[in-house]
Amino acid sequence: MGIKEIKSPEVLPETPPMVTMEENPESLKSKKLGMYFVESDNRRSPFAGGYTTLGTTPVNIHGKPITDLSRTGGWVAAFFIFGNEMAERMAYFGLSVNMVAFMFYVMHRPFTSSANAVNIFLGISQASSVLGGFLADAYLGRYWTIAVFTTIYLLGLTGITLCATLNMLVPNQNDCNQLSLLLGNCEPAKRWQMLYLYAVLYVTGFGAAGIRPCVSSFGADQFDERSRDYNSNLDRFFNFFYLSVTLGAIVAFTAVVYIQMKHGWGFAFGALAIAMGISNVVFFLGTPLYRHRLPGGSPLTRVAQVLIAAFRKRNASFDTSEYIGLYELQGTRSAIKGSGKIAHTDGFRWLDKAALRLKEDEMNTSPWQLCTVTQVEEVKILLKLIPIPTCTIMLSVILTEYLTLSVQQAYTLNTRMGHLKLPVTCMPVFPGLSIFVLLALYYTVFVPLSRRITGHPRGASQLQRVGLGLVISIVSIGWAGVFERYRRNYAIRQGYEGSFLSAMPGLSAYWLLIQYCLIGLAEVFCIVGLLEFLYEESPDAMKSIGSAYAAVAGGLGCFVATILNNVINSVTGGGDELEKRQNSWLSQNINTGRFDYFYWLLTGLSIINFCVFVYVSRRYKYRVKA
């Protein structure tokens, strides 16, 4: 067996010199860790001798290399994927904006508990996305993960449609007017009826959890990273991808709301199920065009191997005479299916002990005892990425609060536009419209302008765009506090203090457009930049898990919003339940509550969050592709 000492901080030389480590064991002590590591063929493990093809090589649905790439992938394949994402987002936003009202008006649940239940559903559907990412990267691949979970999603939507259609699944609606609802005199839903609704709702969320981390990554897989236009294509893809998300949201906030008002809840939820079914057909029709990446085996197993191997050697020293080098396979081969080699970096040095090859490892190369440098670097990258999406949780909190609190504001305002009166539930469409306009002007206005300021060829780096989005979200929530203070004072002056479901003719709901449009702009810069950042920075065999980070951050934002609401209600409420409803900042009667204080609290938290983001982003080092 030959052992080679390779001087390769970034690139491996084609003919590395042979060095006998026993001749000068002290030579490594004064050298930078990672400057030298050893390559060997001796690997008695499931990885055997490694994989001889590059991890980024696209294959067809049967796992065979694609001989003619010109007939697959590219923008044509991507547009089939856009359709699936548009329908999924349409269903997601359609449920998020209608389910609170459905639980309140049909299932006769209190508004606060309905909003919390929907927030928890939204949070679970996003936070559990890591499961879909794991299955895609480990076993199924992105295509089959989408295929399986999009079918589950359709089953969940069908179940929700049945709940809104069959009388036996909802409580008695007779003699239940608006006053009865407010007084809590309507017949409440039976326990088994609520269990059924929650069951189909969470089946839908489970389906979304499998789709969300895979769709953006699978779409990005359709572009050849060896192409000269790869970076610009990837940049445009993620912008178009978010445009499809926005179109789905716009349809949910307009067409679906219109169907609900004209034809009822069953038709509204049924429309979502039909749209999802059509998108499934379109997705499967594009199968011959798709490029695939081989799943690399269980990423959690590889992470566990690194942690255990590093723990076992926690007392070993890089200065010992037993130290041979950091272990890696020879040549261009990788120990990980679906991944190329990753160059060694100096961060998280304690993890390097997992790849620390000692003399005792000559006869024991189990991956639970000795890992390759590439495997260790995978774990380093996953750890290094965590702070960036974590800093976007506050944006998700604001978006979640807007879905409920801004709607409560809109109920007290005049929603007429000339002779047209828009339903309150249509108001969240305006962030989508602002996103649509910005994406349409992105390459003609923003990129040239920002390129002059930053000198960056794409106008701004990915992290700069995330930071810009966070700044705009601060302005949005700050303005929301200013306007809510004015709205509340106006309601009290005009004698509407006790009429929190009555529109005030003299105050237009379109003042809300400022905060809506600003949060839409924040989404474009922050979320699109984050998705592109996670895809490019994630390890080759963990792209779906990397993309799931964004969804997990969104889900945590929903949970944080729910927890924050409960804390605010507990801290600012009175002693008994009636007093609490009157005095809490988030009182059901918005005119006696203090939503303005709550918005300013979110503003302060967002400013602190942005300062943390600036700190972590300045310390972040972009991945160097070997």
Side-chain angles (χ1 to χ4, degrees), residues 209-224:
I211 299 171
R212 191 171 292 115
C214 300
V215 176
S216 61
S217 298
F218 188 54
D221 288 344
Q222 306 309 309
F223 298 95
D224 186 1

Side-chain angles (χ1 to χ4, degrees), residues 34 44 169 181 441 478 486:
R44 292 197 301 272
L169 297 176
L181 278 171
L441 300 176
Y486 176 81

